[in-house]
């Protein structure tokens, strides 16, 4: 498991314009962007005790959360993801799911999860059985993203964060979503061994400091 550094900042619309202008001059737009941005939809898993939520709010040093994710409502490309945090570093493991497998998962049919020996799917199954993890709520937002080769840097700006209010109808593009209360624009910078100075300068904003903002936590405000 490879861990990466991560900065996260809460910014406003003016900051957004300034950062995107700077990044456009030095970094590449994400290759998956359509017209410069794309829509991200995730369905997070948690248990009855809200383990993932509580660990985030309590600042637990070593924690993990599972989610399934798609982009621009494209059901042909769905990923199961496990995001881990340790000592301020982050890592992400991913495995593809088919639309049919996702439908079964959402319908409470879990028998297929151990059939193909896929490590991450099997791990989710194990924790669904042992910890009671279940689909909890949809988190959706719009994203503008940039990449920079040296340092394997990825910069994302996430905005218009929306919540499914405990809804789990992940494959329905018309499911009801509402704005997450008071959610800001989130600037995230991730890199491997070093952060190039040109990117550090591009994302530098006066009066903005590292934040522990969680889109999942913000989207749980309604339940």
């Amino acid at each position: 498991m490879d861990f990466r550094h991560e900065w996260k900042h809460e910014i406003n619309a003016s900051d957004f314009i300034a950062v995107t202008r700077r990044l456009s001059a030095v970094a590449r737009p994400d290759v998956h962007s359509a017209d410069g941005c794309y829509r991200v939809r995730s369905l997070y898993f948690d248990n009855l005790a809200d383990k993932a939520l509580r660990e985030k709010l309590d600042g637990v040093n070593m924690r993990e959360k599972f989610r399934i994710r798609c982009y621009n409502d494209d059901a042909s490309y769905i990923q199961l993801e496990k995001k881990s945090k340790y000592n301020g570093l982050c890592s992400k493991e991913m495995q593809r799911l088919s639309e049919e497998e996702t439908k079964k998962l959402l319908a409470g049919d879990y028998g297929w999860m151990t059939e193909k020996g896929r490590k991450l799917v099997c791990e989710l199954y194990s924790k669904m059985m042992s910890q009671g993890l279940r689909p909890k709520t949809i988190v959706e937002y719009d994203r503008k993203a940039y990449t920079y080769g040296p340092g394997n840097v990825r910069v994302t700006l996430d905005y218009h964060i929306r919540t499914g209010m405990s809804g789990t109808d992940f494959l329905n593009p018309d499911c009801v979503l509402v704005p997450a209360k008071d959610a800001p624009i989130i600037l995230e910078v991730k890199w491997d061994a070093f952060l190039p100075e040109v990117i550090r300068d591009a994302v530098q904003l006066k009066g903005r400091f590292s934040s522990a903002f969680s889109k999942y936590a913000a989207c749980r405000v309604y339940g």
Side-chain angles (χ1 to χ4, degrees):
M1 187 185 302
D2 296 323
F3 282 87
R4 282 161 58 80
H5 299 271
E6 179 182 85
W7 276 351
K8 188 181 293 186
H9 302 276
E10 299 178 33
I11 66 174
N12 59 32
S14 178
D15 297 330
F16 179 92
I17 293 170
V19 169
T20 54
R21 283 178 176 171
R22 294 177 202 160
L23 288 170
S24 296
V26 298
R28 294 176 179 270
D30 185 279
V31 294
H32 302 295
S33 298
D35 298 323
C37 64
Y38 54 94
R39 185 169 58 258
V40 181
R41 174 176 289 193
S42 300
L43 176 61
Y44 283 81
F45 290 74
D46 216 332
N47 64 11
L48 288 174
D50 287 329
K51 178 178 182 291
L53 177 62
R54 293 310 324 170
E55 288 181 348
K56 169 61 183 178
L57 295 178
D58 294 341
V60 174
N61 183 51
M62 189 173 182
R63 61 185 187 269
E64 65 184 26
K65 56 189 174 189
F66 287 86
R67 65 193 179 203
I68 54 176
R69 173 168 287 188
C70 70
Y71 302 91
N72 295 325
D73 298 323
D74 181 6
S76 69
Y77 189 88
I78 299 171
Q79 289 190 145
L80 167 64
E81 300 182 349
K82 173 188 172 185
K83 189 171 182 181
S84 303
K85 279 287 189 77
Y86 181 68
N87 282 341
L89 299 176
C90 63
S91 73
K92 186 164 66 174
E93 300 171 68
M94 300 173 287
Q95 205 151 62
R96 288 283 299 275
L97 293 180
S98 69
E99 183 177 1
E100 188 58 34
E101 288 170 338
T102 304
K103 287 179 179 178
K104 288 181 179 179
L105 179 58
L106 298 178
D109 177 0
Y110 311 131
W112 60 274
M113 298 178 73
T114 60
E115 292 173 357
K116 297 179 181 179
R118 291 179 292 176
K119 180 182 176 182
L120 193 58
V121 175
C122 288
E123 182 179 351
L124 175 59
Y125 174 82
S126 173
K127 289 175 179 176
M128 291 178 78
M129 297 302 105
S130 63
Q131 298 179 9
L133 291 184
R134 292 294 185 273
K136 195 73 172 184
T137 194
I138 291 170
V139 175
E140 185 175 285
Y141 47 89
D142 299 313
R143 165 172 285 180
K144 198 169 184 67
Y146 298 87
T147 60
Y148 190 78
N152 189 24
V153 179
R154 181 172 173 80
V155 183
T156 57
L157 297 104
D158 298 334
Y159 54 100
H160 296 159
I161 300 170
R162 306 174 288 278
T163 172
M165 301 182 297
S166 301
T168 59
D169 197 5
F170 178 75
L171 293 173
N172 177 8
D174 299 317
C175 70
V176 176
L177 300 170
V178 300
K181 184 180 179 182
D182 299 327
I185 300 169
I186 303 300
L187 166 66
E188 292 186 36
V189 186
K190 296 178 184 175
W191 70 95
D192 288 346
F194 70 98
L195 180 62
E197 197 69 26
V198 65
I199 299 297
R200 188 186 299 268
D201 290 344
V203 300
Q204 200 68 244
L205 292 164
K206 186 176 180 180
R208 303 300 179 196
F209 303 98
S210 186
S211 165
F213 184 89
S214 165
K215 290 187 282 288
Y216 171 58
C219 288
R220 287 293 310 278
V221 68
Y222 298 111

